[in-house]
Amino acid sequence: MRLRTSSKVIIYCILLVHLVLTGYPFIWMLISSFKTNKEYFADPWGLPSAWRFENYAEAWREGIGQYLFNSLYITAFSVIGLLAAAVLIGFYLVVRPFRGSKLLLAMFFLGMMIPVHSTLVPLFTISHNLGIYDTFWALFFPYIGFQLPLATFLVYNYFGEIPREIEEAAVVDGCSIYQTFFRIYLPLAKPILATVTILSFFNIMNDFIFPLIMISKESLRTITIGLMMFKGSFSANYSLISAALVLATSPILILYTLLQKYIQKGMVAGSVKG
Amino acid sequence: MSKLKKWLVSAIALAMVVTAGCSSSSNNSASNASSGTSNAGSGGSASGAPVELTLWSSEMRSRDIIEKSIEEFNSSHEDIKIKAEFFEDEALKLKMKVAISGNEIPDLITYWSGETFDQLVANNMLADLTDMLNETPELKDNVLPGGLETFEYDGKYYGIPVLFSGVSLWYNKKIFAENGLTPPSTFDELLAVVDQLNEKKITPIAVAGKDRWPVLHWFSYLAQRIGGTEPFEKAKNNEADFTQESFVQAGELLKSLAVGHKGFVNGFLGLDYAAAESLFMNEQAAMYLQGEWAMEAFLEDPEFAANVGFVAFPAVEGGVGTTDIFHGGFGVGMAVSAATNKEAAFEALKFLVSPEQRVEIYEGPNISPMIKTGINESNMHPLAYEYSSFVSSNLGGYFGYYDQSLDAARSDKLMNAVGAIVGDANSNVVEELGKVK
């Protein structure tokens, strides 16, 4: 279908407005990050008098590098754990339904409705009692727990769409349940795993409340907490904060650009049961 | 069925054994550790592991200095190790809330006086420091009058103040000199200065209206200068409301300053703290009402700081309040958890609050809550020294921040009422203040 030039122009105009609305704040942040704090307030819209790359060096020295690394590795391991759990649960519930498996599934879905904040105090107490407070594990388990309902839901529906005949054929050919999983279902699950990865990666990476409550020590603070520490009680060096923000958003931006096509697909995949 | 039951019972039994084992073992280690402290002098105590104390501190900006003291403490005390963690204000408040509900507060805290501190004491989560203070008169007697009382509950002390804060009127000496003005000592003089500045198209006063509390400072200072501290005490205890004469008068004066004389910068209700501060620091506004913490930014620009002067908040003609009463108080104190190894924690506390360890903090943009501060003029910017000595030599008393003394609901309403008074020319002062209930 070919669009007429006039309607094309209108569409491009709308997109252009949208681009300005969403893109300009980022550009503004980028420009502000090169200013001095005084310039930031004196001339918020103009270009800096001198491009201060020192802001970036200073932001990095203040610990952005460490925070970013913490965020990335906590997120990466949590996502790996989440994928392993979700794919196994989804597979078993689809392939070997047992009495009460529907109930179990329903309980997973109920988990989606629990607000995170209502669980903070119990989780804090549990992590203290288990002795994992202020360690990597105090974030790892809650993250998997809270992302699991959605992930299970997606994987379960996705596996449900795969014709049962494939599994039957595998059994006839002599596959054990492990072989069925590793040779048939897991390779087929790649698209849905990509979706789960993207969704949960951004959720975990952007999370603020768990690292705040479960972590105290400097060496485990994530980027969301680290950015907050840039703002002092009564003073805030906004140009330095802007530089830190640019550094903090860039990995997400890069990831988003690379995975763009999966994100679009992922939004609809698994959401409709065929 | 019976098989399942058996499993369940044994599982529960196992769980109980495990938890009981855990708690008893932790008790053991704590008592071992405390005996370790007392035996430290004789050497070779039974348990070699040092007591670990965690400190949550709100003093982000003095972080480097405190970390240095802690390092010194840790290297001179083999049996105690302090681990300090510093948090931004809002982050710490949230963490503390969860920690209180979870009953797991850190061994040492540096926290604000006020509602959360009350809650900590009410829940018996803090250690009583009275005996320790009585044993160390050199610490107890060195605190400025009123300091320990801030953290006193039912005759027992639960905290030791580490900072004093006081609000004053800062002004730009250069702007004042260029226009032949003298800093105001009464409210009428202030209005005259404002009018003269406005005539010359200079913004008289920068104020962060968006944050609301800076405007409240103006209101509470005026109310104190007019009627003293008593009306607020009454209002706080619900014996009277905010329509008392002195509050209404303060509201009217504030309104005439903000609306009638256009004393505040244009659009001040939309300015946040940093924006208001930068107006003053970019020499676009002549005056600025703020606490000693504002000096932090001033001192970063020594050239500008040399141009900064200050006066006590002006008196109001016919008012009872005198200018030696500062708005502020002993806002931050250190406390010890009730559940920790007290002997070790007291030792650490005494070390960390001592003037020798904190002197560098007080030589910066902070005011010591101690009588003998040990600050050395030669290490300080003249502005910081002047202000420190100004406060300690003039301090006749202080009155607390209204927004922190009141409960959250009324504090919010009061800030809204004050905002309406200065923001809306047609607002009725009595009506707005009457809404604070």
Side-chain angles (χ1 to χ4, degrees):
Chain A
M1 190 182 74
R2 284 178 67 111
L3 287 169
R4 276 183 308 156
T5 344
S6 58
S7 56
K8 238 185 190 171
V9 168
I10 292 174
I11 288 177
Y12 274 96
C13 279
I14 294 172
L15 287 179
L16 198 70
V17 170
H18 184 75
L19 178 70
V20 170
L21 284 179
T22 53
Y24 184 68
F26 187 80
I27 303 289
W28 182 78
M29 176 171 84
L30 198 65
I31 293 173
S32 302
S33 69
F34 290 104
K35 293 180 180 172
T36 64
N37 203 35
K38 258 190 168 177
E39 263 179 335
Y40 181 95
F41 285 106
D43 182 17
W45 309 109
L47 291 174
S49 53
W51 296 81
R52 285 172 50 88
F53 287 91
E54 304 95 278
N55 284 345
Y56 283 87
E58 198 180 336
W60 192 263
R61 264 202 311 278
E62 293 275 331
I64 280 291
Q66 172 75 37
Y67 297 142
L68 208 53
F69 172 77
N70 287 343
S71 266
L72 285 173
Y73 105 88
I74 288 170
T75 309
F77 281 101
S78 303
V79 168
I80 291 170
L82 171 73
L83 289 178
V87 81
L88 286 170
I89 295 168
F91 169 75
Y92 198 81
L93 290 181
V94 165
V95 174
R96 292 280 184 276
F98 49 91
R99 191 196 299 207
S101 65
K102 286 275 180 218
L103 184 72
L104 189 66
L105 196 67
M107 279 170 71
F108 270 113
F109 298 162
L110 275 179
M112 273 193 243
M113 291 171 209
I114 300 175
V116 172
H117 290 80
S118 68
T119 64
L120 284 179
V121 174
L123 278 175
F124 177 79
T125 315
I126 292 172
S127 73
H128 257 287
N129 292 345
L130 289 177
I132 58 170
Y133 172 76
D134 212 5
T135 65
F136 164 77
W137 305 107
L139 292 178
F140 180 76
F141 291 120
Y143 278 149
I144 292 184
F146 276 97
Q147 298 298 323
L148 202 52
L150 182 66
T152 313
F153 176 73
L154 291 174
V155 173
Y156 179 82
N157 280 346
Y158 186 83
F159 281 162
E161 284 170 42
I162 297 174
R164 288 300 296 269
E165 287 79 5
I166 293 185
E167 188 224 339
E168 281 160 17
V171 174
V172 168
D173 285 346
C175 273
S176 72
I177 188 165
Y178 299 105
Q179 284 167 320
T180 320
F181 175 72
F182 283 110
R183 300 210 169 163
I184 315 280
Y185 277 77
L186 195 57
L188 282 172
K190 263 184 212 154
I192 198 68
L193 292 186
T195 307
V196 172
T197 306
I198 291 159
L199 290 178
S200 53
F201 194 94
F202 290 130
N203 281 343
I204 297 174
M205 186 93 176
N206 289 332
D207 183 49
F208 174 75
I209 198 81
F210 278 122
L212 178 64
I213 301 301
M214 303 302 227
I215 295 297
S216 280
K217 62 177 165 231
E218 182 81 25
S219 57
L220 264 179
R221 285 188 186 167
T222 62
I223 189 79
T224 44
I225 303 298
L227 283 175
M228 196 176 186
M229 299 302 155
F230 266 73
K231 197 174 166 295
S233 323
F234 287 104
S235 62
N237 186 344
Y238 282 104
S239 52
L240 186 63
I241 292 177
S242 301
L245 282 172
V246 172
L247 287 173
T249 38
S250 36
I252 298 245
L253 272 180
I254 293 167
L255 203 70
Y256 207 89
T257 334
L258 292 178
L259 297 176
Q260 209 174 12
K261 108 179 151 194
Y262 293 101
I263 290 167
Q264 253 176 15
K265 262 195 216 160
M267 289 310 192
V268 284
S271 56
V272 191
K273 202 170 170 185
Chain B
M1 196 62 201
S2 66
K3 206 175 177 186
L4 182 74
K5 233 182 213 165
K6 218 187 262 171
W7 267 105
L8 209 65
V9 169
S10 46
I12 291 172
L14 186 72
M16 282 165 83
V17 168
V18 169
T19 39
C22 283
S23 59
S24 69
S25 73
S26 66
N27 281 345
N28 280 345
S29 67
S31 55
N32 281 348
S34 67
S35 64
T37 341
S38 48
N39 292 341
S42 56
S45 62
S47 77
V51 188
E52 274 202 26
L53 298 173
T54 308
L55 162 70
W56 282 4
S57 174
S58 60
E59 292 185 272
M60 272 284 271
R61 57 198 176 117
S62 310
R63 180 186 181 147
D64 294 342
I65 301 166
I66 297 173
E67 275 179 346
K68 214 165 61 188
S69 320
I70 287 175
E71 228 169 85
E72 193 184 321
F73 182 87
N74 286 348
S75 58
S76 60
H77 293 73
E78 269 176 22
D79 46 356
I80 310 174
K81 288 278 161 289
I82 309 176
K83 203 175 72 182
E85 280 143 8
F86 297 83
F87 299 95
E88 192 271 340
D89 294 9
E90 294 308 313
L92 182 59
K93 284 176 193 165
L94 197 65
K95 270 188 92 80
M96 204 48 126
K97 264 184 211 154
V98 175
I100 291 172
S101 342
N103 206 2
E104 290 283 358
I105 64 165
D107 308 294
L108 293 162
I109 54 174
T110 307
Y111 205 75
W112 302 273
S113 58
E115 216 193 333
T116 310
F117 205 95
D118 300 347
Q119 201 189 341
L120 281 164
V121 175
N123 290 349
N124 296 323
M125 297 176 89
L126 294 184
D128 178 5
L129 307 178
T130 319
D131 293 340
M132 186 218 53
L133 275 167
N134 288 335
E135 284 162 23
T136 32
E138 72 272 18
L139 172 63
K140 190 181 179 187
D141 299 338
N142 198 20
V143 181
L144 282 173
L148 288 171
E149 286 71 18
T150 307
F151 300 95
E152 184 186 340
Y153 297 81
D154 293 329
K156 293 175 188 159
Y157 301 120
Y158 288 94
I160 295 177
V162 291
L163 292 176
F164 180 82
S165 76
V167 176
S168 292
L169 186 62
W170 306 89
Y171 67 95
N172 188 314
K173 284 182 190 164
K174 204 163 81 188
I175 297 181
F176 269 64
E178 279 167 5
N179 296 287
L181 300 169
T182 43
S185 59
T186 66
F187 191 71
D188 286 342
E189 284 177 36
L190 176 71
L191 290 182
V193 167
V194 163
D195 287 342
Q196 280 167 299
L197 286 166
N198 269 332
E199 241 167 65
K200 299 197 166 123
K201 303 256 178 298
I202 299 166
T203 306
I205 300 164
V207 57
K210 195 178 170 194
D211 288 332
R212 302 195 299 173
W213 56 263
V215 189
L216 183 66
H217 281 178
W218 278 94
F219 175 79
S220 35
Y221 246 139
L222 282 169
Q224 190 277 330
R225 294 293 192 251
I226 294 165
T229 48
E230 206 180 314
F232 181 72
E233 287 305 314
K234 275 195 204 157
K236 189 175 109 183
N237 300 330
N238 274 318
E239 289 157 14
D241 61 7
F242 281 91
T243 55
Q244 295 175 75
E245 183 56 31
S246 64
F247 291 123
V248 174
Q249 230 179 316
E252 296 289 357
L253 288 185
L254 184 58
K255 192 169 181 171
S256 83
L257 172 67
V259 182
H261 292 262
K262 302 217 174 308
F264 293 160
V265 56
N266 242 343
F268 67 93
L269 286 171
L271 290 188
D272 69 0
Y273 184 91
E277 184 182 81
S278 93
L279 269 183
F280 184 63
M281 288 194 61
N282 283 328
E283 315 209 322
Q284 287 165 327
M287 285 174 282
Y288 186 50
L289 182 73
Q290 205 55 267
E292 85 294 336
W293 55 79
M295 279 194 298
E296 189 187 7
F298 301 166
L299 296 182
E300 271 170 29
D301 188 347
E303 216 173 297
F304 170 75
N307 277 331
V308 175
F310 53 85
V311 284
F313 192 86
V316 174
E317 286 84 348
V320 245
T322 49
T323 53
D324 62 347
I325 309 292
F326 284 81
H327 195 20
F330 298 86
V332 181
M334 263 189 102
V336 171
S337 159
T340 186
N341 177 339
K342 294 200 185 70
E343 215 170 319
F346 287 166
E347 178 100 20
L349 180 72
K350 276 186 264 181
F351 183 86
L352 290 177
V353 300
S354 68
E356 299 81 55
Q357 290 304 317
R358 295 184 58 89
V359 65
E360 257 185 85
I361 297 177
Y362 303 136
E363 283 172 353
N366 300 293
I367 307 174
S368 169
M370 302 291 169
I371 296 166
K372 276 173 278 177
T373 54
I375 53 173
N376 184 350
E377 190 181 350
S378 59
N379 295 336
M380 299 169 75
H381 188 281
L383 180 65
Y385 183 74
E386 263 175 64
Y387 195 61
S388 269
S389 27
F390 174 69
V391 171
S392 52
S393 57
N394 282 309
L395 185 67
Y398 66 93
F399 65 109
Y401 302 116
Y402 285 9
D403 53 333
Q404 287 174 13
S405 316
L406 292 173
D407 51 278
R410 279 198 294 166
S411 137
D412 195 56
K413 284 181 189 157
L414 181 60
M415 287 197 276
N416 285 341
V418 173
I421 289 170
V422 294
D424 180 0
N426 301 318
S427 59
N428 180 328
V429 172
V430 181
E431 206 174 280
E432 292 297 339
L433 287 172
K435 288 183 196 161
V436 187
K437 279 190 182 109

